């Protein structure tokens, strides 16, 4: 089979049953469409609309030829984020951070007491008050990456690996990272507000519930079948309220924040996406800060 002239990068022998050339990025996908600039064959996934016809992602990155900047026609995710070559990178980093902290906990027995979420309590070892109300606000985020038992971290990391990559691919890396951190902080804030002041809590469950809520919002936006995720969400909520020693406040807080942030991200108007996404994240962060300040005033005022 003849190859498109001037394209030494094209796969050799790629083609379909009808003699069509294979996409230069996906050789197993025969296509009759070529890039209007370099003339390499491109499949529907690789097509980027141009002023005339379609272009391949490489030509778009080097210069669109459409009268717009290359950045303006760069392939985008559903939420407007840049399409990444590895849509699981941030999920892998989050997994690595959780595992690293878990190993550190085993190496240093006193680390849990310095990083877990606690409102206000007396530390008998150092004869001092500790907690978020004492200015240790970092506990709101360190607790999100903190696990003490193998079943706990195993369940949370399996959930993260299952829920994370599709959301990362749909939202883009920056938006996905913001969603995860805000959901984790939302869970910590509600736990700080409603739990007993000397009740410690830890774990990524608040952030995981945020991803679960975001998945429900995304599936609704795409008009996919909602039954599987709703059943999963219902089962998790049942366990949250019936299983002993679970900080339900963190689960509910993460779920609400994750769903709210995801709604703003996937429903933002195309022409104002960046503004709406920024305002959504800032609004969520301000609410979290307001909850934390209110609880701190209650405990110390």
């Amino acid at each position: 089979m003849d190859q498109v002239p001037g394209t030494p990068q094209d796969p050799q022998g790629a083609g379909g049953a009808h003699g069509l050339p294979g996409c230069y990025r996906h050789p197993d996908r025969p296509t009759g469409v070529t890039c209007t600039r370099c003339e390499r064959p491109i499949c529907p996934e690789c097509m980027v609309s141009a002023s005339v016809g379609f272009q391949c992602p490489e030509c778009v990155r080097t210069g669109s030829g459409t009268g717009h900047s290359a950045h303006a026609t760069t392939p985008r995710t559903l939420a407007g984020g840049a399409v990444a070559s590895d849509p699981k990178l941030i999920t892998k980093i989050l997994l690595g951070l959780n595992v690293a902290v878990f190993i550190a906990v085993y190496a240093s027995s006193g680390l849990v007491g310095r990083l877990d979420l606690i409102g206000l309590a007396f530390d008998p070892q150092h004869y001092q008050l500790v907690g978020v109300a004492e200015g240790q606000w970092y506990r709101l985020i360190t607790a999100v990456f903190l696990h003490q038992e193998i079943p706990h971290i195993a369940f949370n990391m399996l959930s993260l690996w299952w829920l994370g990559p599709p959301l990362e691919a749909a939202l883009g890396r920056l938006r996905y990272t913001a969603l995860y951190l805000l959901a984790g902080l939302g869970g910590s804030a509600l736990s700080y507000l409603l739990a007993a002041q000397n009740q410690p809590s830890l774990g990524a469950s608040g952030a995981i519930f945020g991803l679960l809520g975001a998945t429900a919002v995304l599936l609704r936006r795409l008009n996919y079948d909602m039954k599987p995720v709703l059943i999963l969400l219902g089962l998790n909520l049942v366990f949250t309220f019936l299983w002993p020693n679970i900080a339900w406040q963190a689960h509910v807080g993460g779920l609400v924040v994750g769903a709210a942030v995801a709604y703003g991200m996937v429903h933002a108007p195309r022409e104002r996406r960046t503004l709406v996404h920024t305002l959504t994240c800032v609004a969520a962060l301000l609410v979290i800060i307001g909850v934390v300040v209110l609880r701190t005033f209650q405990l110390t005022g």
Side-chain angles (χ1 to χ4, degrees):
M1 182 188 71
D2 293 337
Q3 288 191 322
V4 177
T7 55
Q9 301 176 16
D10 291 347
Q12 299 292 326
H18 302 289
L20 294 175
C23 171
Y24 83 99
R25 296 177 70 202
H26 307 96
D28 59 331
R29 303 178 188 178
T31 178
V33 179
T34 59
C35 173
T36 56
R37 298 189 69 196
C38 68
E39 297 185 346
R40 287 182 290 190
I42 48 178
C43 66
E45 182 179 336
C46 299
M47 296 177 189
V48 181
S49 297
S51 56
V52 177
F54 298 94
Q55 294 182 6
C56 67
E58 278 70 16
C59 287
V60 169
R61 293 191 187 99
T62 57
S64 66
T66 63
H68 304 287
S69 66
H71 176 76
T73 51
T74 299
R76 294 283 166 179
T77 66
L78 172 68
V83 176
S85 57
D86 182 3
K88 299 179 181 180
L89 177 63
I90 300 301
T91 299
K92 293 174 184 177
I93 292 174
L94 292 172
L95 277 165
L97 287 174
N98 278 277
V99 172
V101 174
F102 181 73
I103 294 174
V105 165
Y106 264 75
S108 175
S109 58
L111 192 60
V112 171
R114 296 196 297 270
L115 299 181
D116 62 357
L117 176 62
I118 193 165
L120 184 64
F122 179 73
D123 182 359
Q125 292 184 343
H126 300 90
Y127 298 98
Q128 63 180 3
L129 291 174
V130 297
V132 178
E134 280 295 298
Q136 298 174 341
W137 288 33
Y138 61 86
R139 291 176 179 267
L140 295 166
I141 189 64
T142 55
V144 177
F145 294 91
L146 188 64
H147 298 83
Q148 199 170 9
E149 299 177 355
I150 293 179
H152 190 197
I153 189 173
F155 180 80
N156 280 341
M157 294 305 99
L158 284 173
S159 299
L160 173 59
W161 185 249
W162 182 62
L163 295 169
L167 283 171
E168 185 175 345
L171 301 178
R173 290 175 178 173
L174 181 60
R175 292 163 178 80
Y176 172 69
T177 303
L179 171 72
Y180 185 92
L181 295 178
L182 286 171
L185 283 172
S188 294
L190 193 64
S191 184
Y192 178 47
L193 176 66
L194 300 180
Q197 66 184 49
N198 61 343
Q199 175 184 312
S201 64
L202 48 83
S205 300
I208 299 301
F209 264 77
L211 298 186
L212 187 56
T215 299
V217 171
L218 178 62
L219 293 181
R220 181 67 181 85
R221 170 67 174 79
L222 297 173
N223 293 320
Y224 286 178
D225 184 11
M226 296 285 294
K227 290 181 181 178
V229 71
L230 291 179
I231 292 174
L232 180 62
L233 178 58
L235 289 174
N236 276 275
L237 287 175
V238 168
F239 283 120
T240 293
F241 289 100
L242 296 183
W243 203 270
N245 300 321
I246 288 183
W248 63 267
Q249 302 91 340
H251 292 192
V252 173
L255 176 64
V256 171
V257 172
V261 172
Y263 187 91
M265 288 183 175
V266 302
H267 288 280
R270 180 183 297 269
E271 63 276 7
R272 295 194 299 274
R273 273 194 302 214
T274 301
L275 175 62
V276 173
H277 293 171
T278 302
L279 291 177
T280 299
C281 293
V282 170
L285 183 59
L286 289 176
V287 170
I288 292 170
I289 292 174
V291 169
V292 173
V293 171
L294 173 62
R295 181 56 171 166
T296 301
F297 179 77
Q298 290 177 347
L299 294 179
T300 61

